[in-house]
Each structure stands twice: as C-alpha cells, then as structure tokens.
Amino acid sequence: MKRTLTILAALAVSLGAWAQVKVSVRESLTGQPVIPAEIYGQFSEHLGRCIYEGIWVGPDSSIPNKDGYRTDVLEAFKALKVPVLRWPGGCFADEYHWMDGIGPKENRPKLVNNNWGSTVEDNSFGTHEFLNLCEMLGIEPYISGNVGSGTVEELAKWVEYMTAENGSMAELRAKNGRKEPWKVKYLGVGNETWGCGGDMTADYYSDVYKRYALYSRNYSGNRLFKVACGASDYDYNWTRTMMKNAASKMDGLSLHYYTCKGWTGSKGSATDFTPGEYYNTLAKSVEIDEVLRNHEAIMDAFDPERRVALLLDEWGTWFDVEPGYNPGHLFQQNTMRDAMVAALSLNIFQKHTARLKMANIAQIVNVLQAMILTKGEQMVLTPTYHVFRMFNVHQNATYVPSEYTCGTLVSEEGRVMENFSACTSRDASGALHVSLANPVLDKAVTVELSFDELKPRSVSGEILTASDIHAYNDFGKAPAVSPAAFTGAKVSGKTVKLTLPAASVVVLEVM
Ligand code: AHR
C-alpha cells in the first residue's frame, strides 16, 4: 500500500513537469560578482575513515603514498581543484588539543574520539601533516579552533605556532621540522557552539567569541579571516544575536545545513529509496535557497555593506550508515541522487555570492556526502565528485545572470521546488559555462539558450547521468556513474539548443 502511494505521489510530481525551458543569458547586466572558488570548499574531519585510511596512511603503509598521504587520493584532490579545506572538525575540533598532534609520533598521546564511535585517535595526523598537505596542493587551510573544551591561551598559541616567524612557538615548530611559518587564512572560532561545541546560548557565545578572536593574533604578515560560529538551519535568532553583538569583530559567520530526513530515527538508506524519497531529498536540499536568503536578510540589516561573509561551512546529504559499518563513522554510499543534490545546491550557492563566500561539503573522504570512498587500497570517485569536478569551471569566474521560467514539483513532504536548474559564468579566458540540471526522473527537457551579447559559434559539454538513479560507484566494479562527452547541444542561429535527459547534469562551454 505504501509503495502504491509513493508511486502515485511521484507520478503527480512528474505530471507537473514542463518539457521545455528557454534560458536567456544576460551579459549586458554588468557589475556581477566573481564566484569565489571557496564555494567549492571541502571539509576533513577526524571522523571514521576520513583522515586515517582516507587521506593519511602513513609513510610505511603498503598503500601507495607520498610522505604518508595516499597517492590516489592526492591525484583526485588535484583534479577537483580543492580551493579550501576545513580541519580538524566538526564536533571533533572542540575536543582536539593541537599540542597532542605535534612532535615525534611515538610520543603523541592517544585519545578516545568521543564524538565519533569512541575510536582511538593516535594523533599521527596533526598540524604539520594537515598544513603540509594544503601547501603541497595549493589549498587554503581553514582551521577550526577548540572553544568548547579548550582555552583562549591554547588557541592563541596554536595560531602563533602555525604563523609566527619568531618566538618560542616558532622555535618549537622549527624543532619539529618546520622552520618557515605556514600561511593560514581562515580561523573558525568554535564549531556548533550551540551544541557539540559547548552547548552555549548565542548571547553567551558572542562574548566568548570576542575573547578568543581578540587573542588570535596576526603574525609575520599573516592575516587571519576570523569566522564566528553561526546557526544551524532555520535558527535565525542565532544569526541575529551574533550580528547584533559581535559583527564588528568578525570577518565571517558560519551556517550549517544538512539534507537529512530528521535527527531522530532512521535517515533513510543512501542507495535504496523510492521516487517519493528522491524528491523529498531534492526538495529539502534546495530549501537552502530560502534559508540562505533569510540569514542574508538578517545580516544585511546589521551590515548593509556586506563586509561580514556568510560561510556555509557544513552541508550535504546525511543518510543512514551503510550496513556493517561502525554507526559512529557516518560512512554512506553516494548515488546519482547525491550528484543531483550537489548540482542543484552549487547552482544555488553561485547566486548568493554577494554574501556567501564559502561552502564546505561534508566530508571529503569516506563520510556523509563524500567525494571519494576508499576500502583498503581501493578507491572510487563518487557521483558527487564528478559534479564538483565538472562544475569547477565556475571557480573564480564572473557570474552571468540568466533568466528562465520552468515548472515546479511538489514533494511528498509538501515542499515545492523548481523542476530545472541553470547557472552561467564567464571565466578569465573568455569561455562561457552553463551548468544545467534536470531533476525529473522520467522526463527529458528541451532547453533553448539565448544570449543578449554572445553570438555562439561552438558548444561542447559533459554529461553525468545513469540508467538508474540508484546507481553508484562500487569497489572492484566498473564505474556505474561517470561523466561522458555531451554532443547533444547544437548552435542554432543565435541560440544553443539541447535536450537534457531525465535525471541528468550537463555543463556546457559556449564560445
Ligand atoms: O559532519 C558531521 C558533524 O555534523 C560535524 O562534526 C558537526 O559539526 C555536525 O553536527
């Protein structure tokens, strides 16, 4: 009975779909923002197998590695053009004491990872290992400081250790093998301080924030971008209080938004879902558009010049842990449904960059909506990885407004979402890129792109789709979801025409 109702709901959804969309690309609307590369930010946490096995195997591992970092994962990071990487958590950050993770490995204390499955953390991946990784790959580090169980002095000394040229922290760093300071831009002052990061009220935390931020100094030409811990989801009061009490002392304010069925009970399977559940997931994920707008409006009231950035430093899908895995390790598979969430979300984020300056999907390897999954020495790239790689042409490109009218879908949970998504940018080499998504499971859509300035001469593209929305890339099997060249777009007079297959994501380059 439930199944029949679900199918009927999905049918109702698809009947509402439109089969044709006209997109007008408006380059005459000048003065548009550059899309910060940091919108494509990532998050690495000491959680499950994200760091250990996922990124770090140690130099003595039989898994091929460069100085302890697994080689296959390094190569995948490079192709992704990871702009910024947040570390060490998450909830882990507020029980992390950085001094445990420096110096000879054999002397580093072992701690119980209380947040994540009580796994024993041997601290073999610490400050040097993280910052050297970022430096090697040209990634901007984003350090998440311990406010919940740490002290002002501990965070102040960490900043000094990482960034000062002189003084006893610099001497200690040199003794541990690194003479030159690193460049560290982003400093998060606490994580989820309303919950696992200290269980505080916004009023109380805003004072705490100011204390920690004050003593986190700029050393030796390094300029910190200080991020205050922000709200979860729809907690607009948190944003209001933080802006009222501390806006002048922060460079950014964070926000967390997960696409999750709920915080109690089952979150649903990552791979086994009905059409109704598919649309529920998508509709919940695109609600971020409204959530961002609401937080931005509050920030605008206190900061009309938009000096303070909004950073969505945790987002993504959150399903039940895969059977057989430690429930505290949050390991989930990643299907074409996740790819669709990624495409719709990135297209939304790119329209908010007047205020939204960073977004960090959780987490880069082996946790939640990961880019990469590993199993021993095997590695797979997820459908979400492919979307991030295809869309990275938008990094640092100038946003180009585009207008279209499309239909809407209503999910079983009653959320209304558009049945089409598009975003356009022009990069420094002059190429115009259009990222398109058709979330409808059973209907292709024909698209006509028209341009107010460009006379299109050629078009090329890539497509990500699968014969089954449940498809995912599994260990030891040929990839079930991988991008392919898209030859279905044609220049037709002053327009470009194409058909977007059902449940597909396409990125076009128009010259
Ligand atoms: O991403 C998993 C956890 O979700 C993070 O550690 C925490 O910040 C959030 O609650």
Side-chain angles (χ1 to χ4, degrees), residues 418-434:
E418 292 188 336
N419 66 1
F420 173 80
S421 163
C423 187
T424 309
S425 73
R426 187 177 280 280
D427 72 13
S429 78
L432 188 85
H433 293 106
V434 189

Side-chain angles (χ1 to χ4, degrees), residues 232-249:
S232 173
D233 308 318
Y234 315 93
D235 187 356
Y236 302 115
N237 195 43
W238 185 281
T239 298
R240 195 171 298 111
T241 306
M242 289 304 298
M243 291 301 289
K244 177 162 69 72
N245 294 354
S248 66
K249 308 287 183 190

Side-chain angles (χ1 to χ4, degrees), residues 57-168:
V57 288
D60 301 329
S61 172
S62 60
I63 297 175
N65 68 85
K66 180 177 170 17
D67 303 332
Y69 310 99
R70 54 187 298 163
T71 324
D72 50 0
V73 169
L74 285 183
E75 291 308 313
F77 283 6
K78 282 185 204 160
L80 208 51
K81 299 199 174 126
V82 177
V84 59
L85 187 60
R86 184 169 178 251
W87 175 84
C91 294
F92 178 80
D94 282 285
E95 292 194 44
Y96 181 63
H97 300 282
W98 69 272
M99 286 250 184
D100 293 348
I102 57 170
K105 303 236 162 153
E106 59 280 12
N107 298 343
R108 297 188 189 181
K110 295 184 174 51
L111 71 103
V112 176
N113 191 332
N114 293 316
N115 286 286
W116 306 120
S118 299
T119 307
V120 173
E121 159 70 51
D122 71 1
N123 278 302
S124 55
F125 189 94
T127 302
H128 289 246
E129 290 73 22
F130 175 68
L131 292 178
N132 289 344
L133 169 71
C134 291
E135 196 171 66
M136 178 169 49
L137 299 183
I139 296 173
E140 199 75 65
Y142 179 2
I143 297 288
S144 192
N146 179 346
V147 168
S149 71
T151 64
V152 174
E153 184 188 10
E154 185 185 11
L155 184 57
K157 290 238 164 79
W158 196 10
V159 170
E160 189 178 340
Y161 184 87
M162 292 184 286
T163 59
E165 256 166 26
N166 304 305
S168 46

Side-chain angles (χ1 to χ4, degrees), residues 43 45 47 86 89-92 116 191-192 194 196 256 258 314 318 330 362-363 367-368:
F43 172 32
E45 178 161 10
L47 194 180
R86 184 169 178 251
C91 294
F92 178 80
W116 306 120
N191 169 74
E192 297 194 349
W194 37 263
C196 66
H256 290 180
Y258 282 102
E314 286 186 30
W318 193 323
L330 312 188
Q363 277 92 353
V367 180
L368 300 182

Side-chain angles (χ1 to χ4, degrees), residues 229-382:
C229 168
S232 173
D233 308 318
Y234 315 93
D235 187 356
Y236 302 115
N237 195 43
W238 185 281
T239 298
R240 195 171 298 111
T241 306
M242 289 304 298
M243 291 301 289
K244 177 162 69 72
N245 294 354
S248 66
K249 308 287 183 190
M250 61 174 85
D251 298 301
L253 182 62
S254 69
L255 172 68
H256 290 180
Y257 184 87
Y258 282 102
T259 295
C260 173
K261 202 168 149 192
W263 296 110
T264 51
S266 168
K267 296 181 177 62
S269 161
T271 54
D272 184 12
F273 48 88
T274 63
E277 286 165 330
Y278 167 81
Y279 288 114
N280 282 342
T281 300
L282 264 45
K284 167 77 176 153
S285 75
V286 298
E287 199 165 84
I288 187 63
D289 194 16
E290 185 189 328
V291 172
L292 286 173
R293 245 181 289 122
N294 292 340
H295 286 286
E296 286 160 4
I298 294 165
M299 294 178 78
D300 286 350
F302 291 93
D303 173 35
E305 285 79 37
R306 297 186 173 150
R307 190 194 61 78
V308 180
L310 180 61
L311 292 85
L312 181 64
D313 62 14
E314 286 186 30
W315 71 276
T317 56
W318 193 323
F319 300 115
D320 286 343
V321 173
E322 292 302 323
Y325 285 84
N326 184 327
H329 286 184
L330 312 188
F331 174 74
Q332 65 190 40
Q333 249 298 351
N334 193 295
T335 67
M336 192 58 212
R337 172 174 66 167
D338 295 87
M340 194 58 71
V341 167
L344 299 177
S345 301
L346 290 170
N347 272 355
I348 289 170
F349 299 164
Q350 293 176 161
K351 296 175 184 172
H352 283 267
T353 61
R355 178 73 76 176
L356 183 70
K357 301 297 183 187
M358 191 192 292
N360 308 72
I361 189 167
Q363 277 92 353
I364 190 161
V365 192
N366 286 335
V367 180
L368 300 182
Q369 194 176 350
M371 305 291 120
I372 295 166
L373 303 178
T374 66
K375 185 178 180 188
E377 64 178 18
Q378 301 179 74
M379 179 197 82
V380 294
L381 303 177
T382 66

